[in-house]
Amino acid sequence: MTKKLSLAEKLRSGQPVITAWSLLPAPILPELLARAGYPAVTLDLQHGMHDFNEARDMLAAIALGGAHRIVRVPLDDNASAARLADVGAECVIAPMINSAKEASAFARALKYPPVGDRSYGPFRASVLSGLSNEDYLERANTEILSLAMVESREALDALDDILAVPELDGIFVGPSDLSISMSNGEAVDPNGEETARTCAMIAEKATQAGKISGIFCLGAEKVKEAVDQGYKLITHGIDAALLDSAAKAALGEVEAFVGSVEGDRATY
């Protein structure tokens, strides 16, 4: 039987991994995304609607669907990073990391001594990983990934120092916030030329530093661009947007037979 590679092994081998992005707090949704073929699903606890209990159940649902389990934690919440690793996250993304000090504190929260400060209690994580508690402990420091988000001018200025943090596994680029910061708040331009050039520079530096690089993509053409730039963990497909587009497509398929079926749309 062929050994199933961990997410860390895939990313470090240079194999790009596409992850779906989950905003909606229903466990069946990430399971369906996994069963549809997504290699990984990311739960967004920063801007999504999940709380810890929902994320705990959704990590199990992702495992049931056969995909890798990733979370983005809320801002400045290293405690949640460690706790979500305990319930099965294989990779944790931390938003708005702007210095090497912040990157180190985040990464150390996910690493056991002597590398970091994580407290021992991975009983759910061991089960979802198919490992004994002892085997999980042996592998955790190399296989539970910490990715610091680079999405501000401050982070760009500190990029070399962030990439030099030994405990940190890699970085993850948020092009929307990065474009806002680079334009001094004048525009959201995640797909713009200046943003693309900056993203290419970040990926190149991450590769040179021996770190994993990830990025959020808005559009299939940006996925190709990200792969060409050297990114390895790539977001494409948000559950709320996928459901919205599928619903509109389904209605469009029958409008020719029954006339307009557009209902009253709520506004908030």
Side-chain angles (χ1 to χ4, degrees):
M1 181 179 295
T2 303
K3 175 183 177 290
K4 181 179 179 180
L5 295 179
S6 69
L7 178 62
E9 288 171 328
K10 290 179 181 178
L11 294 173
R12 290 191 177 116
S13 74
Q15 176 181 339
V17 174
I18 303 297
T19 178
W21 199 265
S22 169
L23 301 176
L24 304 175
I28 188 63
L29 292 178
E31 181 186 339
L32 289 172
L33 290 169
R35 292 187 183 280
Y38 271 101
V41 180
T42 301
L43 307 180
D44 185 355
L45 277 73
Q46 182 191 16
H47 294 307
M49 304 176 195
H50 323 83
D51 61 21
F52 174 81
N53 291 337
E54 289 158 345
R56 174 201 62 210
D57 294 343
M58 293 171 81
L59 287 168
I62 296 168
L64 183 64
H68 293 294
R69 309 174 298 277
I70 305 172
V71 297
R72 177 166 71 172
V73 293
L75 190 66
D76 297 326
D77 196 351
N78 292 340
S80 285
R83 196 176 180 202
L84 286 160
D86 280 348
V87 294
E90 298 170 80
C91 174
V92 180
I93 301 169
M96 290 293 178
I97 298 294
N98 294 324
S99 70
K101 182 179 179 180
E102 293 175 355
S104 179
F106 159 60
R108 289 182 64 85
L110 291 171
K111 307 294 183 183
Y112 291 115
V115 179
D117 309 308
R118 182 177 171 189
S119 179
Y120 184 71
F123 307 112
R124 185 57 172 160
S126 298
V127 170
L128 294 186
S129 300
L131 300 171
S132 67
N133 292 332
E134 292 77 12
D135 286 342
Y136 181 91
L137 176 61
E138 180 181 345
R139 301 182 189 185
N141 281 356
T142 56
E143 295 199 350
I144 306 305
L145 300 174
S146 55
L147 302 184
M149 289 201 73
V150 174
E151 47 187 345
S152 69
R153 284 187 178 274
E154 292 84 357
L156 288 177
D157 291 341
L159 182 59
D160 290 337
D161 292 335
I162 290 171
L163 289 170
V165 172
E167 308 93 344
L168 186 71
D169 296 297
I171 52 90
F172 192 91
V173 179
S176 292
D177 278 318
L178 185 60
S179 69
I180 293 172
S181 183
M182 290 169 56
S183 68
N184 294 316
E186 293 182 2
V188 182
D189 191 18
N191 293 344
E193 291 184 5
E194 183 180 3
T195 306
R197 286 193 296 270
T198 303
C199 290
M201 178 273 294
I202 294 169
E204 182 178 5
K205 287 199 169 192
T207 299
Q208 291 171 350
K211 302 291 189 181
I212 295 165
S213 57
I215 190 167
F216 198 106
C217 288
L218 294 167
E221 71 285 353
K222 299 301 288 187
V223 173
K224 181 182 184 305
E225 179 181 273
V227 172
D228 291 342
Q229 290 171 341
Y231 284 96
K232 296 298 179 283
L233 180 63
I234 301 168
T235 296
H236 177 60
I238 305 169
D239 57 1
L242 292 170
L243 181 59
D244 180 65
S245 62
K248 290 174 179 175
L251 288 174
E253 290 173 344
V254 299
E255 283 186 340
F257 308 109
V258 299
S260 175
V261 294
E262 184 175 328
D264 294 331
R265 295 186 179 179
T267 56
Y268 300 95

